[in-house]
Amino acid sequence: MSYTEQVVLSVQDLTMSYLAARGRVRAVNKVSFQLHEGETLAVIGESGCGKSSLNLTLIRQLPRSAKIESGRVLYTYRSGQQADILALSQKEMNRFLWSEISMVFQGALNSLNPVIRIVDMVQDTARAHGMNAADARKRALDLFEKVRLDPMRVYRAYPHELSGGMRQRVLLALSLLLRPQIVIMDEPTTAVDILTQRSILEVLKELRAELNFSIMFVSHDLAVAAEIADTIVTMYAGEFVENGPVNEVFYHPRHAYTLSLLDAAPRLSTGAEELHSIPGVPPDLIEPPPGCKFHERCKLATDICNHTPPVYEVFDGNHGVACHHHVKVREQRERVISS
């Protein structure tokens, strides 16, 4: 996999919270990252870590209880012009979505309107962005063929007439209808079987190579992330705690939480073995613990972790981490791989 040095999305110190009865839940906390042209960036982490909240913040599709407290989300158009997505008017945002950034939501059955045909969804989207019906039809049928569907059957179908895997591929095709630069995918393979999952990943790779769009891929499935990603980001308690090239993060992790996720995943190469689940539960995001937010669940935690937040450091030019014990983490993982 390869991508260019051109940055299409630059997120800077993004913070978002939800209003709850006890106070504000800071679901996204001072998140910063860059997405390059043609790059697939996978965000991994257990449920509740803030992955989906981050996605909704980036496209400004948040509920009324949510508030973007700070940060910038800079998008670079193909023309080279740059805009802060958070500063766009509602009218500008309506034009921006689908044509520049689109999203494949988790759960294909819930994402498609069950009472209208696929053709109507295509035409509604095209009409809202000034595309004529003939061009929309031609492009949709071409995309359906690219995602390995029977174009005319799917085009005239209702969602309930399609299988789960077919609906997921319809969503992928619809997300590319207006040729966006970025596609955000929220757990796109969660509700499908392993063979359908494999098919979706293969289609996604082929489309990315042909159409040259960037992907932000959100998943709790490490195997899927390893298969599709160029860059891996580990998210915990609303924060990015590790960020680096896929092979570097999986084979030489530097954060204790990333190590715990890897230890909890089954490995076919070693046969039957005991899985090491992560003890405890994610922290309270209204009143988070002091120091490192992972210290109450971390097997490597020492006194410094209890009261001093780790500083985010960058190693080897492109592997960032915020962990007091990054050296021990790397050593432990390397011992596991060599055994």
Side-chain angles (χ1 to χ4, degrees), residues 131 205 237:
M131 180 187 291
K205 288 179 184 177

Side-chain angles (χ1 to χ4, degrees), residues 36-268:
H36 299 83
E37 182 183 42
E39 179 183 18
T40 297
L41 183 146
V43 182
I44 62 172
E46 59 196 328
S47 297
C49 72
K51 304 186 301 295
S52 295
S53 291
L54 173 63
N55 289 343
L56 295 176
T57 304
L58 295 177
I59 61 172
R60 285 175 47 189
Q61 299 298 300
L62 293 166
R64 291 187 178 182
S65 62
K67 177 184 178 183
I68 300 175
E69 298 182 8
S70 64
R72 303 176 75 195
V73 181
L74 301 178
Y75 175 81
T76 304
Y77 292 88
R78 290 183 174 90
S79 64
Q81 292 183 314
Q82 200 171 66
D84 186 350
I85 295 175
L86 303 184
L88 295 178
S89 68
Q90 190 56 57
K91 184 177 181 180
E92 290 171 330
M93 197 66 200
N94 291 342
R95 296 286 300 173
F96 182 84
L97 293 176
W98 289 87
S99 61
E100 301 295 338
I101 294 181
S102 62
M103 182 166 174
V104 178
F105 289 90
Q106 184 175 354
L109 182 60
N110 298 327
S111 299
L112 296 172
N113 191 324
V115 298
I116 65 174
R117 297 178 187 271
I118 303 300
V119 55
D120 298 314
M121 301 181 201
V122 170
Q123 295 298 341
D124 285 349
T125 302
R127 192 179 307 114
H129 289 82
M131 180 187 291
N132 67 57
D135 287 344
R137 181 180 185 275
K138 181 179 179 181
R139 188 171 293 180
L141 293 177
D142 179 57
L143 285 167
F144 290 152
E145 186 173 357
K146 289 183 188 300
V147 297
R148 304 176 187 176
L149 294 170
D150 181 341
M152 289 310 302
R153 179 201 164 189
V154 169
Y155 193 62
R156 297 185 178 128
Y158 285 98
H160 72 267
E161 296 176 309
L162 307 175
S163 69
M166 292 172 73
R167 288 194 295 263
Q168 198 70 57
R169 281 177 282 166
V170 165
L171 277 179
L172 176 56
L174 289 176
S175 73
L176 295 169
L177 183 66
L178 300 178
R179 299 289 194 266
Q181 279 201 101
I182 299 172
V183 177
I184 300 174
M185 309 194 73
D186 192 352
E187 305 277 9
T189 59
T190 296
V192 296
D193 61 80
I194 189 68
L195 293 178
T196 304
Q197 183 182 99
R198 167 60 57 182
S199 177
I200 291 171
L201 292 178
E202 289 177 355
V203 166
L204 191 56
K205 288 179 184 177
E206 292 171 3
L207 287 173
R208 191 189 73 161
E210 181 176 346
L211 302 178
N212 193 37
F213 55 90
S214 304
I215 303 171
M216 188 167 169
F217 192 95
V218 171
S219 181
H220 63 267
D221 191 323
L222 302 188
V224 171
E227 176 79 14
I228 196 70
D230 300 301
T231 305
I232 294 287
V233 173
T234 306
M235 192 170 189
Y236 185 75
E239 299 177 356
F240 279 11
V241 296
E242 185 164 12
N243 183 347
V246 58
N247 288 335
E248 184 68 16
V249 171
F250 276 106
Y251 290 106
H252 309 288
R254 291 180 181 271
H255 198 282
Y257 178 58
T258 308
L259 179 63
S260 296
L261 289 174
L262 293 168
D263 286 345
R267 288 180 292 144
L268 298 177

Side-chain angles (χ1 to χ4, degrees), residues 27-43:
V28 178
N29 186 33
K30 297 181 180 178
V31 164
S32 297
F33 68 94
Q34 291 183 333
L35 180 65
H36 299 83
E37 182 183 42
E39 179 183 18
T40 297
L41 183 146
V43 182

